[in-house]
Amino acid sequence: MTAVYEPWDETRGAEIIAEHSKQEGATLVILHALQEAFGYVPAAAIPMVAQALNLSRAEVHGVFTFYHDFRHRPAGRHVLKLCRAEACQAAGGDALAARAEAKLGVSLGHTTADDRVTLEPIYCLGLCATAPSAMLDGRLVGRLDEKRIDALVAEAQR
Amino acid sequence: MSIRLYVSRDAGALAVGADEVALALEQAAAKRGIAVEIVRTGSRGLYWLEPLVEVATPQGRIAFGPVTETDVPSLLDALASNTPHLLRLGATDEIPWLKRQTRLTFARCGVIDPRSLDDYRAHGGYKGLERALSLGSEAILNEVTASGLRGRGGAGFPTGIKWKTVAQAKADRKFIVCNADEGDSGTFADRMIMEGDPFLVIEGMTTAGLTVGATKGYIYIRSEYPHAVEAMNAAIQAAKRDGYLGANIGGSTHSFDLEVRVGAGAYVCGEETSLLESLEGRRGLVRAKPPLPAHRGLFGKPTVINNVLSFAAIPFILAEGAKAYADFGMGRSRGTMPIQLAGNIRRGGLFETAFGVTLGELVDDIGGGTFTGRPVRAVQVGGPLGAYFPRALFDTPFDYEAFAARDGLIGHGGIVVFDDRVDMRKQARFAMEFCAIESCGKCTPCRIGSTRGVETIEKIINGERVSENLALVEDLCNTMKFGSLCALGGFTPYPVLSALKHFREDFVPAPTTLQAAE
């Protein structure tokens, strides 16, 4: 299931920011909410967040860039995350990651040229007893093998 | 007659098809005109048997697994006609792997419907809080201290002392923070308990709140755990509805509220001071200690910050008494530890047991060795910052001090098994690489050291001046160990140095190769 995002809209962005800005320590909450709505955190939103929270732009930019989750631009239509941590490495994850990279023609951390698939590493989905594991658009898949990773890649490319 | 079935909704079970099995059961039952009620539970933690389907019988629950969609029609036929089935495992409680455990914290996980507060109460839930309310702050502190409970996040600091410090602190506001940023690979106990028994975490945190005089708590859950976030939020709503959160808890004068906050993919936020910074809406930069969070924590106020499993151990301690908990364990490690068996392992999952079981028992006997069937060569205990242990150290008992004595740590209780194809140079490089990716950047040994570490191990892998570079890595590890501000930089040397020490043959080329190169 592909997530559907709204195009960036300043009024809508301001609404989202206002909705959460009264919470204590709201910066991450707001950045999450913006990304959930727009699929990424638009650069234009940073000064708006700063203003709402009485912070400098640099502070908000600093928070935005510190965390791996926040996107500078929209991801591909599908996001395939492969767990690359030790438990999945122990269960043959290295070879499967290489296989997915080869099939998609991009390395981890990149989006295919047709914008269909973003392939990302993730450091632990907590499915370490059913390793190796992956997440395709929020759906979890464990006990990956060559057949399953091929099926996931094919599904993401559709 | 209606058949009651139990299928897990735990993320680990969903990842191997539990939803599909539940749906197939519903459809096949409807087709056959059999009335079924499917209860979605947490996981029992026997992951090699997931999706596990249990059926209620007058003699207790009978388990079947691992069940796939294609097994469903035959399974239903067998249930309806009371005939044997190939996947029948017998009574769930009698499965040896489960029977051998001492489930104090995980007693309800996989048994109850995690969305049902009634189910939680019917299985002993909120008994601990009831007793806590009648005891009062000082007596609760005595119980927690006497139980010997130590922080289950990894540091092993006595929980009673931490709570007492916050209880004695004077402030207009105090906070309870639950560290649910379970980022260590090989660990999933926090996730399981939040998904399978969320009220337990709420009960533990509420108890902490009334003990130290805090009225607000936060659960900081990593974003990689969307199912846990959902389960905790649902449980918080239910607890609020029934008066277990909010004003006048359980008819008392105490108030306590809880809020879930979601992390954003930074491993370092599992470090408590970094987590507090993140909760305050900042970059997750580690703070120097002192001041301790117990004195100046969230928003500068006295704060109890504990791991999920620490809070989850509290209700048992209060309901059954400190002694009932402290009677388990060895040395200064009292009670039980939910151990997680992971990686290349035949029988992986959640094994809660008293401290003292040996690493070898856990890996070979309980875990059944590797699922690839190859010999076990290395196990990493305690996550990405934990040491790699060879078979020679399999007699090490699971105990904070015993692991420390062998230059390791039990951390959050995760054990990742590797077979004989593991290249320890790669694992050592990965430890440094991971530290470089996740370093918050505040202190130099961690920020720069990790990158230099990757480069130097790379040189060793390429055969460049191996012995010189090995000495350099050891020196660098020493600097990181003693010069870093927190456990990320400070403990990354554990996997690296243990790989060098116990698996030297992977780093130093065999003499024959040297001659051939000349």
Side-chain angles (χ1 to χ4, degrees):
Chain A
M1 198 180 60
T2 325
V4 183
Y5 297 111
E6 310 165 32
W8 164 246
D9 174 88
E10 202 181 305
T11 318
R12 179 81 185 102
E15 262 173 42
I16 292 169
I17 294 167
E19 198 183 320
H20 301 285
S21 60
K22 292 287 170 282
Q23 292 183 45
E24 281 186 284
T27 321
L28 268 82
V29 181
I30 292 174
L31 293 175
H32 270 307
L34 288 168
Q35 182 152 309
E36 208 176 300
F38 306 113
Y40 69 115
V41 181
I46 300 291
M48 293 167 65
V49 177
Q51 173 121 39
L53 300 179
N54 197 22
L55 297 170
S56 71
R57 285 182 195 195
E59 281 172 296
V60 179
H61 179 77
V63 175
F64 170 53
T65 52
F66 182 84
Y67 296 95
H68 300 303
D69 279 4
F70 299 129
R71 297 185 189 283
H72 298 249
R73 62 185 69 83
R77 269 169 54 196
H78 297 282
V79 179
L80 178 58
K81 296 184 184 193
L82 301 180
C83 184
R84 298 295 299 118
E86 289 91 337
C88 287
Q89 293 169 13
D94 293 1
L96 295 180
R99 192 177 172 95
E101 286 181 331
K103 292 224 169 232
L104 287 167
V106 289
S107 56
L108 286 167
H110 294 90
T111 302
T112 55
D114 60 4
D115 256 351
R116 271 177 199 267
V117 189
T118 295
L119 184 68
E120 288 180 341
I122 187 164
Y123 292 97
C124 203
L125 288 162
L127 309 174
C128 319
T130 52
S133 53
M135 190 191 241
L136 177 59
D137 298 333
R139 192 185 67 193
L140 299 169
V141 187
R143 288 184 199 140
L144 285 176
D145 52 19
E146 289 188 351
K147 212 175 117 195
R148 285 207 174 105
I149 196 85
D150 290 354
L152 272 183
V153 167
E155 191 184 336
Q157 281 173 319
R158 274 205 294 271
Chain B
M1 189 196 75
S2 166
I3 303 176
R4 177 182 283 194
L5 300 170
Y6 302 88
V7 181
S8 171
R9 69 190 313 159
D10 174 277
L14 298 182
V16 292
D19 269 350
E20 288 78 2
V21 168
L23 187 67
L25 281 167
E26 227 167 76
Q27 289 170 344
K31 209 169 137 194
R32 286 167 171 72
I34 306 171
V36 293
E37 181 202 350
I38 301 175
V39 181
R40 301 302 299 270
T41 60
S43 175
R44 295 271 196 169
L46 291 72
Y47 279 106
W48 77 100
L49 296 176
E50 291 284 5
L52 187 78
V53 175
E54 291 178 81
V55 56
T57 74
Q59 291 79 42
R61 294 185 195 176
I62 305 294
F64 298 84
V67 178
T68 62
E69 283 167 87
T70 45
D71 299 319
V72 165
S74 67
L75 177 62
L76 269 182
D77 290 340
L79 289 178
S81 61
N82 219 352
T83 48
H85 192 275
L86 266 177
L87 296 176
R88 192 177 192 278
L89 301 161
T92 317
D93 293 332
E94 295 299 317
I95 297 174
W97 207 83
L98 199 53
K99 205 177 176 181
R100 278 180 75 174
Q101 302 192 35
T102 304
R103 289 208 164 180
L104 308 184
T105 299
F106 277 77
R108 272 177 300 261
C109 193
V111 177
I112 64 165
D113 173 359
R115 299 290 162 93
S116 165
L117 191 44
D118 290 338
D119 219 4
Y120 179 64
R121 271 190 311 235
H123 287 80
Y126 277 119
K127 269 192 191 152
L129 183 72
E130 264 168 47
R131 177 148 177 268
L133 283 168
S134 71
L135 283 177
S137 175
E138 201 166 316
I140 301 173
L141 287 173
N142 288 339
E143 287 279 332
V144 176
T145 307
S147 76
L149 177 65
R150 295 166 68 180
R152 295 286 185 252
F157 187 81
T159 306
I161 295 176
K162 189 183 271 187
W163 287 23
K164 196 172 181 183
T165 311
V166 178
Q168 288 171 342
K170 299 266 178 284
D172 56 341
R173 285 200 300 170
K174 297 177 184 179
F175 292 100
I176 307 297
V177 175
C178 177
N179 183 346
D181 195 51
E182 185 180 50
D184 290 355
S185 176
T187 66
F188 43 82
D190 295 353
R191 180 186 62 66
M192 277 184 72
I193 210 79
M194 287 191 286
E195 291 176 2
D197 198 6
F199 294 109
L200 182 68
V201 182
I202 296 176
E203 186 181 343
M205 291 183 74
T206 309
T207 308
L210 67 96
T211 308
V212 306
T215 53
K216 171 94 189 190
Y218 289 95
I219 308 176
Y220 184 94
I221 307 178
R222 57 202 298 266
S223 61
E224 292 85 347
Y225 283 0
H227 298 83
V229 171
E230 197 191 327
M232 282 311 313
N233 273 324
I236 288 171
Q237 291 313 317
K240 278 184 183 164
R241 260 197 315 272
D242 279 25
Y244 284 99
L245 283 175
N248 308 111
I249 306 253
S252 73
T253 54
H254 297 281
S255 302
F256 191 67
D257 254 317
L258 266 184
E259 188 181 329
V260 169
R261 286 285 175 96
V262 181
Y267 174 77
V268 74
C269 289
E271 197 283 333
E272 60 181 13
T273 62
S274 163
L275 188 153
L276 294 174
E277 286 290 310
S278 185
L279 263 182
E280 292 183 17
R282 285 195 287 272
R283 293 162 70 91
L285 293 189
V286 171
R287 295 177 186 170
K289 289 191 275 195
L292 296 169
H295 292 124
R296 287 187 58 193
L298 188 62
F299 303 115
K301 304 294 178 188
T303 302
V304 167
I305 175 164
N306 276 137
N307 175 253
V308 174
L309 297 180
S310 308
F311 285 121
I314 294 293
F316 175 89
I317 292 167
L318 283 160
E320 307 298 327
K323 188 172 176 301
Y325 192 77
D327 277 349
F328 295 102
M330 70 175 275
R332 286 173 50 220
S333 305
R334 309 312 310 173
T336 58
M337 183 73 195
I339 295 165
Q340 301 124 82
L341 301 174
N344 185 351
I345 191 157
R346 187 185 306 255
R347 292 188 293 269
L350 191 287
F351 197 90
E352 181 177 353
T353 188
F355 285 97
V357 57
T358 67
L359 186 56
E361 277 176 81
L362 286 165
V363 173
D364 293 331
D365 190 17
I366 296 159
T370 63
F371 74 66
T372 46
R374 302 180 71 98
V376 174
R377 178 152 185 250
V379 296
Q380 188 179 25
V381 185
L385 308 177
Y388 284 98
F389 276 41
R391 292 203 68 96
L393 296 181
F394 270 20
D395 61 338
T396 314
F398 215 80
D399 160 81
Y400 291 100
E401 278 70 37
F403 266 75
R406 288 183 162 177
D407 294 323
L409 47 106
I410 65 171
H412 189 49
I415 297 179
V416 176
V417 178
F418 291 79
D419 71 17
D420 59 348
R421 290 173 301 181
V422 66
D423 179 346
M424 293 309 293
R425 297 177 303 181
K426 273 191 178 174
Q427 298 312 123
R429 183 184 59 193
F430 178 76
M432 285 292 189
E433 220 175 275
F434 187 69
C435 182
I437 297 169
E438 298 298 337
S439 175
C440 83
K442 184 155 174 170
C443 69
T444 315
C446 174
R447 183 182 69 246
I448 310 276
S450 53
T451 298
R452 292 291 97 90
V454 174
E455 293 164 358
T456 314
I457 297 173
E458 199 74 45
K459 285 180 189 160
I460 295 169
I461 293 174
N462 294 333
E464 290 175 40
R465 292 184 295 175
V466 172
S467 56
E468 267 174 68
N469 280 314
L470 280 172
L472 203 55
V473 168
E474 282 174 18
D475 187 48
L476 175 65
C477 281
N478 222 33
T479 304
M480 289 176 70
K481 202 168 167 179
F482 296 104
S484 298
L485 209 46
C486 83
L488 180 51
F491 288 7
T492 292
Y494 277 106
V496 178
L497 291 175
S498 59
L500 288 178
K501 183 175 172 189
H502 303 304
F503 304 92
R504 197 77 178 181
E505 64 275 20
D506 284 18
F507 294 84
V508 184
T512 47
T513 335
L514 265 183
Q515 282 163 4
E518 283 161 4

